[in-house]
């Protein structure tokens, strides 16, 4: 008789008929980006919400991904950002994303100063914006969601292109998020002429914590193995604790504040 020794091939961590992974290849990109964090004051019935937007730039950038590390660098060139009369915004918006086969993790650190009132009903003169260079918003937070079908569905294929999704697939996502932030101005957020019309009249500082579980679904439609459309929506059952203060005003509130996160990607992928 003969004794034969053989080495078994390690089982694949995913179904290669659905997607392939190329972690040792350098993936590059050109991209456009525009980041912003808004401040919206809810209005009573019959009145428009007061929406303060930052005047952030449209940025042109380059980036690359190797294994699990991604670096993107961008700059807001003048030809992409003509003067708009919306004032200046100073900001540092740090966003870090980790995409593993099983998890999608987002980390945020957002620091803004300088806003303008984007509510059209109150920008009465043509080409004039009510500017608030004193309003600032600081926010930090994290969100993490588990991909329950990591054997067949890859987020990395559409969002950082280190995988190649060859067949259509989807996955249920479960996880949660938590954020802490502060919005503050030297004077009340509501313009003085409209103080009596909004419940937030006189408030110039808000601190808040938002946290809660979330669940959703992501799906990639693949056409002819190379063209893809990916979309995902996660609904978060968040709870919020906020503290408001201002001119002879101070109050705390605990509330149910559901919201949603979404991602969309369209592209063309090949093994190269």
């Amino acid at each position: 008789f003969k004794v034969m020794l053989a080495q078994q091939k390690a089982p694949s961590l995913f179904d290669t008929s659905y997607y392939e992974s190329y972690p040792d290849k350098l993936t590059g990109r050109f991209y456009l980006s525009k980041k912003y964090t808004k401040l919206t004051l809810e209005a009573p019935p019959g009145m428009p919400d007061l929406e303060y937007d930052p005047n952030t730039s449209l940025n042109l950038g380059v980036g690359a991904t190797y294994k699990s590390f991604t670096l993107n660098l961008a700059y807001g060139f003048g030809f992409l950002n003509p003067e708009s009369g919306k004032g200046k915004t100073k900001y540092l918006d740090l966003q870090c994303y980790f995409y593993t086969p099983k998890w999608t993790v987002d980390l945020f650190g957002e620091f803004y100063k300088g806003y303008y009132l984007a509510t059209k009903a109150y920008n009465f003169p043509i080409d004039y914006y009510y500017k608030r260079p004193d309003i600032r918003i600081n926010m930090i937070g994290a969100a993490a969601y588990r991909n329950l079908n990591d054997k067949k569905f890859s987020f990395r294929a559409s969002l950082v292109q280190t995988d190649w999704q060859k067949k259509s697939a989807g996955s249920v996502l479960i996880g949660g998020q938590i954020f802490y932030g502060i919005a503050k101005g030297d004077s009340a957020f509501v313009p003085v002429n409209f103080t009596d019309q909004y419940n937030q009249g006189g408030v110039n500082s808000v601190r808040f914590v938002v946290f809660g579980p979330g669940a959703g679904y992501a799906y990639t439609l693949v056409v002819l193995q190379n063209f893809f459309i990916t979309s995902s929506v996660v609904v978060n059952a968040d709870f919020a604790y906020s503290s408001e203060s201002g001119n002879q005003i101070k109050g705390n509130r605990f509330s149910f504040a559901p919201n949603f996160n979404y991602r969309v990607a369209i592209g063309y992928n090949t093994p190269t």
Side-chain angles (χ1 to χ4, degrees):
F1 66 93
K2 294 182 179 180
V3 177
M4 301 184 66
L5 300 177
Q7 184 177 10
Q8 286 188 333
K9 184 178 179 181
S12 176
L13 298 177
F14 51 87
D15 188 339
T16 56
S17 68
Y18 276 84
Y19 72 88
E20 298 277 0
S21 185
Y22 304 92
D24 295 324
K25 287 190 175 182
L26 181 68
T27 304
R29 65 186 60 84
F30 292 99
Y31 68 96
L32 293 169
S33 70
K34 187 176 181 67
K35 299 180 179 181
Y36 57 88
T37 296
K38 296 184 178 184
L39 172 64
T40 301
L41 307 180
E42 293 184 353
M47 299 289 292
D49 290 345
L50 289 179
E51 181 181 293
Y52 285 101
D53 287 359
N55 185 22
T56 54
S57 59
L58 177 63
N59 302 317
L60 176 64
V62 296
T65 298
Y66 181 71
K67 293 186 181 294
S68 61
F69 178 75
T70 296
L71 177 64
N72 293 323
L73 299 173
Y75 183 76
F77 293 96
F79 69 90
L80 293 174
N81 299 279
E83 175 59 38
S84 59
K86 299 176 181 178
K88 294 183 178 181
T89 297
K90 296 180 179 179
Y91 68 100
L92 176 63
D93 194 316
L94 304 174
Q95 301 181 15
C96 186
Y97 306 99
F98 298 95
Y99 298 107
T100 72
K102 294 183 178 182
W103 287 93
T104 297
V105 180
D106 304 334
L107 304 176
F108 302 94
E110 303 178 3
F111 310 92
Y112 286 77
K113 184 178 181 182
Y115 280 75
Y116 69 94
L117 186 61
T119 306
K120 299 302 181 183
Y122 293 136
N123 290 328
F124 297 114
I126 298 177
D127 297 331
Y128 171 80
Y129 290 90
Y130 176 71
K131 295 179 282 290
R132 290 292 303 270
D134 60 299
I135 291 181
R136 50 197 179 275
I137 295 178
N138 298 332
M139 187 173 71
I140 58 174
Y145 301 98
R146 174 70 161 85
N147 172 12
L148 296 183
N149 189 23
D150 58 282
K151 302 293 185 183
K152 296 181 179 180
F153 174 79
S154 170
F155 249 138
R156 297 188 297 186
S158 55
L159 298 179
V160 291
Q161 296 84 49
T162 56
D163 295 351
W164 172 31
Q165 187 86 42
K166 299 187 293 184
K167 294 171 62 175
S168 299
S171 177
V172 172
L173 306 173
I174 57 172
Q177 63 179 11
I178 182 169
F179 296 94
Y180 168 78
I182 179 172
K184 194 171 184 179
D186 293 342
S187 59
F189 297 131
V190 178
V192 63
N193 293 342
F194 308 103
T195 299
D196 297 336
Q197 302 178 38
Y198 287 83
N199 297 329
Q200 304 90 342
V203 174
N204 69 348
S205 178
V206 178
R207 296 176 184 269
F208 59 89
V209 177
V210 179
F211 61 93
Y217 191 76
Y219 186 80
T220 295
L221 173 67
V222 178
V223 180
L224 301 176
Q225 283 199 329
N226 300 120
F227 295 95
F228 69 88
I229 301 175
T230 298
S231 64
S232 72
V233 176
V234 175
V235 178
N236 297 286
D238 285 344
F239 295 90
Y241 174 80
S242 61
S243 175
E244 300 178 350
S245 60
N247 184 20
Q248 299 180 342
I249 296 174
K250 191 170 185 179
N252 301 322
R253 184 175 67 167
F254 188 80
S255 60
F256 181 57
N259 64 72
F260 67 94
N261 300 333
Y262 65 90
R263 288 177 168 86
V264 178
I266 301 174
Y268 177 90
N269 273 351
T270 73
T272 56

